[in-house]
Amino acid sequence: MRILLASSEVYPYSKTGGLADMVGALGKALARKGHEVGIVTPLYAGVRKRFPTLTPLRQPLDLPLGTGLATAQVYCLRPAERLTIYFVDQPRFFERPGLYQENGRDYPDNAERFIFFSKAVAQLVLALPSKLDLLHLHDWQPGLAAVLLKDELKRAGQGSGPRICVTIHNLAFQGVFPADKFPLTNLPWDFFTPDGVEFYKQLNCLKAAMVYSDVITTVEIMTEELGCGLDGLLRKRHSALYGILNGVDYEEWNPMSDPALSSPFSVDDLGAKAANKLALQEEFNLPPRADIPLFGNVGRLAEQKGVDILLRALEETAELNFQFVLLGSGETRFEQAYEDLARRFPGRIAVKIGFDEALSHRIEAGSDFFLMPSRFEPCGLNQMYGLRYGAIPIVRTTGGLDDTVIDIKEDAEHANGIKFIEYSSKALAKGIRKALALYGEPPLLAYYRKNAMKADFSWERTTTEYLKVYQGNATADP
Ligand code: ADP
Ligand code: GLC
């Protein structure tokens, strides 16, 4: 098939979270299976410097944007056979320090930026020399491309165009903007209705994708918890809706060949995992002690991730003997709360505020346990990385966390993590206590670790499921 993925972030070019990992890995996996794959994404600051072999497409795309005009110069990169990355260049919109925000504040022109990006996606589909079979949009940022492309093809009398699939990675982000941004789409107002792109008198970019795509997928095996105001639409489109769990790119996340680690390790050589732990304790200025259990956490500091209960649980367990390291960035109030905690518990709690890809790998490698107490988690990749790196995940039973981690109560033979149900610091603290008890039983801990490191979330299965959806052969969830 000829497939084009569209995403506002793609690893290794840009990343704020799991979306980037997922799209980068899906593109690679599809190309490996013999499909001709493109990924279209904005050209953010610094990409050109890191990837100097970008070549421009001959014709720039001139795009109307309301009453104005904006040009998208598209640059191509071929990182692998059958895989092309198309970078949409418009310095006015994308040459900035952040992808979506700066200092915790969304850019005020995000509507313009991503309406422009959606237009570039739709026009690129039409400009590509060979006809596409499938356009796969990810999250709200390229969402309007579904309706823009359909409208364009209809007006040109050009038939149906490629099948369109949208994947919802996080329903909490929908790209909702005031109605006065709608004219930037240059679509007729007929589309601005509750059956179209309107959502309580506002423009909703994710809804646009959900209404105008042929098929919708989510990254968790479906539960009825989904919603965020779009429940009605999800029910209406139930027959076109599928849940597909993400995979892990085991080329990037392999403790035996990870360039971020000084001591590579495997399930048969856990001695080297212990060396990673000591190195991590040193990196965080904690006493390098093999006997003290080390808990890690990496992530966006947002309500979704359960920051409030984790902060409280760490206070509530202050008398217990363990260390905790965190790498994260996000809401200022949470960044400050963690920094305060680290100041109050020196030698026990250490935090780094920022975004650091290599350090995130070292935390997975060096931690005994990986904490992920999310309030909600559509899929979650960090707990799967934790499993592969032998950091036993402690997770709340929500979304993908519940789907990927096995508690001893569910299946003693395959147990590889610790789960708690209630969203409270008390329930989480109980999970931490269970982890400490497990740490006190080395043979059982080794058994968990083995199970964890052997759990397989490779892209093979995920890609097969996407291909079924692309080809219209998938069976809907009950
Ligand atoms: P989400 O997409 O909701 O943020 P996931 O668990 O799916 O959650 O993916 C998060 C990804 O982003 C992981 O690869 C994680 O390591 C990475 N990540 C998040 N915050 C940071 C950070 N501060 N530094 C480095 N990597 C981070
Ligand atoms: C979103 C979700 C996360 C998921 C990721 C990749 O950011 O919050 O749970 O793993 O997308 O699909």
Side-chain angles (χ1 to χ4, degrees):
M1 294 181 88
R2 286 186 178 279
I3 301 162
L4 182 67
L5 314 181
S7 173
S8 58
E9 50 186 276
V10 182
Y11 186 80
Y13 314 103
S14 54
K15 171 167 169 178
T16 68
L19 169 66
D21 287 1
M22 188 279 189
V23 176
L26 175 62
K28 272 200 319 193
L30 288 167
R32 242 189 337 246
K33 272 192 175 292
H35 300 279
E36 195 58 51
V37 184
I39 307 181
V40 50
T41 191
L43 184 74
Y44 295 110
V47 174
R48 205 193 302 263
K49 211 167 164 194
R50 286 192 292 131
F51 300 91
T53 57
L54 299 186
T55 52
L57 273 192
R58 225 171 302 142
Q59 280 290 335
L61 308 170
D62 287 322
L63 307 169
L65 199 61
T67 52
L69 198 75
T71 300
Q73 176 67 61
V74 179
Y75 287 88
C76 304
L77 186 75
R78 298 262 309 177
E81 223 182 312
R82 293 182 295 277
L83 179 62
T84 308
I85 317 293
Y86 298 97
F87 292 99
V88 173
D89 182 28
Q90 175 41 260
R92 176 156 70 97
F93 291 139
F94 302 127
E95 188 71 29
R96 301 182 184 186
L99 269 54
Y100 316 117
Q101 50 170 247
E102 241 170 88
N103 307 321
R105 288 239 171 103
D106 279 356
Y107 288 124
D109 59 349
N110 274 348
E112 282 86 339
R113 298 172 76 221
F114 291 105
I115 290 172
F116 169 79
F117 177 54
S118 299
K119 289 193 166 200
V121 171
Q123 284 306 314
L124 180 65
V125 171
L126 300 171
L128 288 174
S130 315
K131 229 174 133 209
L132 270 190
D133 300 303
L134 196 282
L135 173 63
H136 188 169
L137 309 172
H138 292 265
D139 273 351
W140 71 266
Q141 292 87 347
L144 283 162
V147 49
L148 290 162
L149 181 60
K150 289 217 160 144
D151 178 59
E152 184 92 19
L153 287 164
K154 196 164 144 210
R155 275 199 269 172
Q158 276 192 22
S160 58
R163 185 172 158 85
I164 305 179
C165 169
V166 59
T167 292
I168 304 169
H169 293 259
N170 198 336
L171 259 181
F173 300 101
Q174 299 178 9
V176 177
F177 300 103
D180 63 10
K181 299 292 180 194
F182 178 73
L184 290 167
T185 64
N186 300 85
L187 287 166
W189 279 98
D190 308 353
F191 286 98
F192 199 77
T193 67
D195 283 337
V197 305
E198 182 194 339
F199 180 73
Y200 299 103
K201 310 254 177 277
Q202 294 191 293
L203 168 65
N204 184 321
C205 298
L206 183 65
K207 183 179 175 191
M210 291 166 67
V211 171
Y212 294 97
S213 292
D214 300 287
V215 60
I216 305 170
T217 72
T218 63
V219 292
E220 67 191 296
I221 302 167
M222 303 295 288
T223 71
E224 64 281 15
E225 267 175 58
L226 295 165
C228 296
L230 291 173
D231 319 53
L233 179 56
L234 281 165
R235 271 196 299 277
K236 192 167 153 195
R237 300 232 49 200
H238 186 259
S239 61
L241 184 62
Y242 304 90
I244 304 178
L245 208 59
N246 291 331
V248 173
D249 184 343
Y250 288 125
E251 277 176 16
E252 296 290 337
W253 293 92
N254 179 353
M256 282 188 280
S257 59
D258 189 332
L261 312 185
S262 47
S263 311
F265 65 102
S266 72
V267 68
D268 303 314
D269 169 25
L270 286 171
K273 174 154 173 92
N276 281 288
K277 175 173 169 178
L278 294 178
L280 186 64
Q281 287 166 320
E282 268 166 18
E283 189 166 359
F284 273 91
N285 284 321
L286 292 172
R289 296 254 313 260
D291 58 322
I292 296 186
L294 176 59
F295 292 67
N297 179 251
V298 178
R300 292 183 290 115
L301 299 182
E303 248 179 6
Q304 173 191 346
K305 301 293 174 186
V307 180
D308 54 347
I309 62 169
L310 182 49
L311 283 163
R312 260 181 278 133
L314 288 169
E315 299 247 8
E316 288 165 18
T317 52
E319 82 288 357
L320 302 177
N321 191 26
F322 69 88
Q323 297 173 338
F324 170 77
V325 296
L326 168 119
L327 166 66
S329 59
E331 288 183 39
T332 316
R333 60 184 171 131
F334 291 143
E335 293 183 352
Q336 285 170 352
Y338 274 121
E339 281 176 329
D340 279 354
L341 211 59
R343 262 192 297 273
R344 286 174 44 217
F345 299 104
R348 276 201 70 226
I349 293 181
V351 308
K352 290 215 162 117
I353 301 300
F355 195 95
D356 185 336
E357 183 70 32
L359 181 55
S360 77
H361 289 235
R362 288 197 291 278
I363 290 180
E364 303 276 10
S367 299
D368 296 303
F369 299 98
F370 193 87
L371 286 160
M372 214 151 154
S374 305
R375 189 184 283 271
F376 66 94
E377 194 64 70
C379 178
L381 291 169
N382 266 325
Q383 82 283 10
M384 297 197 246
Y385 301 153
L387 286 169
R388 182 48 57 117
Y389 281 61
I392 307 295
I394 300 171
V395 303
R396 198 173 87 77
T397 49
T398 178
L401 297 177
D402 200 16
D403 298 331
T404 53
V405 175
I406 305 170
D407 188 275
I408 194 159
K409 279 201 184 136
E410 292 171 291
D411 179 349
E413 190 188 340
H414 298 104
N416 59 20
I418 293 168
K419 285 181 175 178
F420 64 98
I421 299 169
E422 193 184 88
Y423 187 79
S424 71
S425 56
K426 229 172 114 201
L428 169 55
K430 202 168 155 195
I432 293 177
R433 287 197 174 87
K434 279 188 186 173
L436 297 179
L438 179 61
Y439 198 79
E441 290 187 58
L444 189 58
L445 179 67
Y447 186 74
Y448 264 67
R449 224 167 236 161
K450 215 163 232 168
N451 280 345
M453 294 181 75
K454 284 188 170 158
D456 185 7
F457 296 102
S458 63
W459 265 93
E460 185 58 32
R461 175 195 48 82
T462 309
T463 319
T464 308
E465 289 189 48
Y466 274 108
L467 282 166
K468 277 196 215 156
V469 164
Y470 291 171
Q471 288 156 349
N473 298 331
T475 38
D477 291 302

